[in-house]
Amino acid sequence: MNRFICFDNLRSAAVVLTLAALLLQSWTAFYEESAVVAISIVFFISAYFGASALRIRTISFFLKDKWKRLGWPGLVLVLFGIEEQLVTSALPVTSWVPLWLFLLFAGLSLIKHVNHKVLQHRIASKPSVPFLLGFLVLLAAALFLCQAFLPQSLAIPYIARIRPDWLVLSLFAFALGVYTFRHRWFTPSGYQPKSSSLFGFAIMVGVYAAWMPGKGASILTALTPALLLVAAVLGLTAWFHQQFDKHSAWSHTLHRISYGLFFVSEPIILHSMWFLQPLAVAVWLKVVITALVLAIYGYLLCRYALFHIPCFKSKG
């Protein structure tokens, strides 16, 4: 499959949104909403390209490649989590992403092992109303069960803090990416979301911000993030396909270092905020200083160190 530059840029934007959410965790509404959008985009696009790679490669080669790209960095992040807990008394919240994504790819490989035709292209189609309704109902039901019967977050001592609802959200975004690949959405001959989809995404952003913070488990609090996931995938894909379907010098650089920047962002942010905590300055100034440290130090690490490690090298 030819690389979709709009997806490269969209994934880079999701990484930047993740960094902003980590910097502004105290702003609960922004943090929660940004996490839903970023998780939806990252796992959807990863599944879309991953299913494409698995379709034409052997399972063993595919899993070795994913272990190199996700497994080893994930294990290193676990070690960072232990160190961060000991030094800053704060558990990381994004270190679960690489290992969880690897497990999802392993599950997809198992499905292909059972049925080799599962990833074959189907007739190009567009989203049907029954499919979207079924997807939303299943996702909303799963999120409701998480909200009603599980704690908001689960702490794995010295490793990470995991949100059960985010695991469910990422699983469904991954499944949607695989389904989309099979039915050839976003290809030249397949379905292309219209610009009106971005308007739907803007509406869901407002609804989520107004409704979700501080609410308990209910049908609406489960349905809202489910709708935001679909709106983010369709709306942002439509916008980036129309406006950002080519690389500039800065967007290509960001695409090449985005994975490494995601990898180093949380340790840098946690340690910077910990060192700045005793200073008697405004919180916003601490955030600005941390953002500058992340931008400069993260770029230097990615561009001149991580970029030369095979698992962080860009494929596009």
Side-chain angles (χ1 to χ4, degrees):
M1 172 182 289
N2 293 329
R3 195 133 193 118
F4 295 167
I5 295 179
C6 63
F7 274 175
D8 289 340
N9 290 330
L10 180 53
R11 181 157 48 187
S12 298
V15 170
V16 173
L17 184 61
T18 301
L19 305 186
L22 291 174
L23 286 167
L24 300 172
Q25 288 191 46
S26 58
W27 187 7
T28 305
F30 177 78
Y31 175 72
E32 293 283 335
E33 190 165 26
S34 299
V36 171
V37 174
I39 288 171
S40 301
I41 295 302
V42 168
F43 280 83
F44 172 81
I45 294 178
S46 297
Y48 193 96
F49 287 138
S52 173
L54 182 57
R55 183 176 71 92
I56 60 177
R57 294 179 179 176
T58 63
I59 293 176
S60 59
F61 180 88
F62 176 80
L63 288 179
K64 287 179 181 178
D65 179 67
K66 291 305 177 186
W67 178 254
K68 179 183 71 175
R69 298 280 293 178
L70 299 169
W72 284 115
L75 291 180
V76 173
L77 280 181
V78 168
L79 297 178
F80 271 135
I82 296 174
E83 183 270 338
E84 289 162 12
Q85 171 71 14
L86 293 173
V87 174
T88 69
S89 300
L91 279 173
V93 295
T94 63
S95 58
W96 56 272
V97 172
L99 290 178
W100 176 235
L101 191 54
F102 174 78
L103 289 176
L104 293 178
F105 279 128
L108 185 61
S109 300
L110 179 61
I111 293 174
K112 181 188 176 181
H113 178 73
V114 174
N115 181 5
H116 280 273
K117 298 182 179 179
V118 71
L119 294 178
Q120 288 184 353
H121 276 148
R122 303 295 180 89
I123 298 175
S125 62
K126 63 180 181 179
S128 65
V129 174
F131 167 75
L132 291 177
L133 287 177
F135 180 84
L136 289 171
V137 168
L138 289 175
L139 176 53
L143 290 175
F144 176 79
L145 292 176
C146 285
Q147 295 170 0
F149 300 106
L150 294 176
Q152 186 180 28
S153 64
L154 299 173
I156 303 178
Y158 300 106
I159 296 178
R161 183 172 296 277
I162 298 176
R163 290 270 298 265
D165 56 334
W166 288 357
L167 291 180
V168 169
L169 195 76
S170 58
L171 172 62
F172 275 80
F174 187 90
L176 182 61
V178 174
Y179 179 90
T180 298
F181 164 77
R182 292 179 64 205
H183 291 268
R184 292 189 282 182
W185 296 7
F186 313 131
T187 60
S189 60
Y191 166 74
Q192 293 290 345
K194 298 180 180 179
S195 57
S196 57
S197 302
L198 182 61
F199 181 66
F201 170 69
I203 292 176
M204 284 311 306
V205 167
V207 170
Y208 192 103
W211 176 258
M212 288 298 293
K215 301 291 183 180
S218 70
I219 297 299
L220 287 178
T221 57
L223 185 59
T224 301
L227 287 169
L228 183 58
L229 184 157
V230 175
V233 167
L234 297 182
L236 292 178
T237 298
W239 186 40
F240 273 72
H241 179 73
Q242 294 173 7
Q243 303 294 330
F244 305 102
D245 199 22
K246 60 181 179 180
H247 271 313
S248 62
W250 67 268
S251 69
H252 191 244
T253 299
L254 181 59
H255 162 63
R256 297 176 74 193
I257 70 172
S258 60
Y259 182 36
L261 190 59
F262 171 84
F263 178 81
V264 301
S265 61
E266 195 164 49
I268 292 176
I269 291 172
L270 281 176
H271 287 83
S272 297
M273 294 297 287
W274 183 75
F275 279 111
L276 293 173
Q277 188 175 5
L279 296 181
V281 297
V283 174
W284 68 267
L285 184 56
K286 294 180 182 179
V287 171
V288 171
I289 295 174
T290 303
L292 290 174
V293 171
L294 175 62
I296 298 172
Y297 191 51
Y299 172 79
L300 294 176
L301 276 174
C302 295
R303 184 65 180 84
Y304 298 104
L306 295 185
F307 189 66
H308 299 286
I309 301 176
C311 62
F312 293 107
K313 287 185 178 179
S314 169
K315 294 185 177 181

